[in-house]
Amino acid sequence: YENYERLKFSNRSLAMAEQQEQLPCPDYKSYLSEPDESCKDFIMQQTMMRIKDPKRSLDFYTRVLGMRLLKRLDFPSMKFSLYFVGFEKAEDIPADEEERTRWMFSQKATVELTHNWGTEDDPNFSYHNGNKEPKGFGHIGLAVPDVYKACERFESLGVNFVKKPNDGKMKGIAFITDPDGYWIEILSPNKLPTLE
């Protein structure tokens, strides 16, 4: 019996090893090393998304998601504006505009909303959200204390859902869309999603 159990365990281990080899990038752990010293002060500063109508987008990112408008930059000769939003405290934002610009570009994980002037007046204009064919960009993610409470609020505000927390096989995460159809994952580090 002992030899049978050993054989069973050995076969199971072999199957797991074979399965591991079939996964893409089986040597991913080799990338867990320390980054090059020359990169130690790099940060992930922004994700840029093109928007059709700044009024609708700014309302969504500030009032609905709770971000703050950190800085607006206008480029009249090229007919576009940039709106940087993020989760920063009002008291941390410098009053001086030049200092504010430098400060904003040193914050982590901001969203840069890019508006090419005139798109808001074209009823047929829309951007590709990356989740339609051909697929590319997927989503940004928002960590919240409680996914279910956050989604109740989003629902009361008329936000569009791609997936509600209890939909599908993965429970405890949701996907909503912004006014341009970009997906936003809603997750909680306090309660990670479960598979059913």
Side-chain angles (χ1 to χ4, degrees), residues 8-9 11-12 16 21 24 46 50 64-66 99 112 118 122 131 150-151 171-173 176-177 179 190 195:
K8 244 172 55 175
F9 177 78
N11 287 342
R12 199 164 48 238
M16 285 172 66
E21 283 177 23
Q46 63 186 249
R50 292 179 177 86
V64 177
L65 294 187
E99 193 182 334
E112 175 188 352
D122 183 348
N131 289 293
C151 288
K171 310 299 183 190
I173 64 166
I176 61 174
T177 63
N190 303 323
L195 277 174

Side-chain angles (χ1 to χ4, degrees), residues 7-190:
L7 182 63
K8 244 172 55 175
F9 177 78
S10 169
N11 287 342
R12 199 164 48 238
S13 299
L14 184 61
M16 285 172 66
E18 285 172 357
Q19 189 178 24
Q20 189 70 24
E21 283 177 23
Q22 292 171 2
L23 293 173
C25 195
D27 62 339
Y28 75 94
K29 288 187 178 178
S30 65
Y31 299 101
L32 298 176
S33 59
E34 280 297 305
D36 188 274
E37 178 66 18
S38 64
C39 304
K40 68 180 176 67
D41 295 320
F42 291 8
I43 63 167
M44 176 60 196
Q45 200 277 319
Q46 63 186 249
T47 296
M48 186 276 258
M49 298 190 294
R50 292 179 177 86
I51 58 170
K52 176 177 178 172
D53 185 340
K55 287 181 182 176
R56 291 186 67 212
S57 293
L58 288 170
D59 177 67
F60 177 83
Y61 281 91
T62 59
R63 183 179 62 85
V64 177
L65 294 187
M67 292 185 182
R68 195 178 300 281
L69 177 59
L70 306 177
K71 181 71 182 176
R72 171 181 170 157
L73 297 171
D74 298 306
F75 300 86
S77 65
M78 293 181 277
K79 293 185 167 44
F80 75 92
S81 296
L82 307 176
Y83 301 88
F84 291 87
V85 294
F87 291 105
E88 303 298 336
K89 296 176 183 171
E91 58 267 27
D92 294 340
I93 303 174
D96 177 77
E97 284 303 317
E98 196 173 311
E99 193 182 334
R100 182 178 185 150
T101 302
R102 275 196 298 272
W103 170 85
M104 185 276 300
F105 280 120
S106 68
Q107 302 312 300
K108 292 179 181 177
T110 67
V111 177
E112 175 188 352
L113 303 172
T114 298
H115 173 232
N116 293 296
W117 299 356
T119 53
E120 69 277 23
D121 299 322
D122 183 348
N124 299 315
F125 187 88
S126 66
Y127 284 112
H128 190 290
N129 70 5
N131 289 293
K132 297 173 185 168
E133 296 299 337
K135 292 182 180 179
F137 174 80
H139 63 269
I140 60 172
L142 199 66
V144 299
D146 186 311
V147 171
Y148 293 89
K149 282 185 183 173
C151 288
E152 279 176 24
R153 180 174 174 274
F154 295 148
E155 196 159 12
S156 74
L157 293 170
V159 171
N160 180 59
F161 281 83
V162 176
K163 177 198 178 301
K164 293 187 177 180
N166 284 330
D167 291 349
K169 291 183 178 179
M170 193 171 281
K171 310 299 183 190
I173 64 166
F175 284 88
I176 61 174
T177 63
D178 81 350
D180 288 283
Y182 296 116
W183 290 19
I184 301 166
E185 181 178 354
I186 309 300
L187 61 100
S188 175
N190 303 323

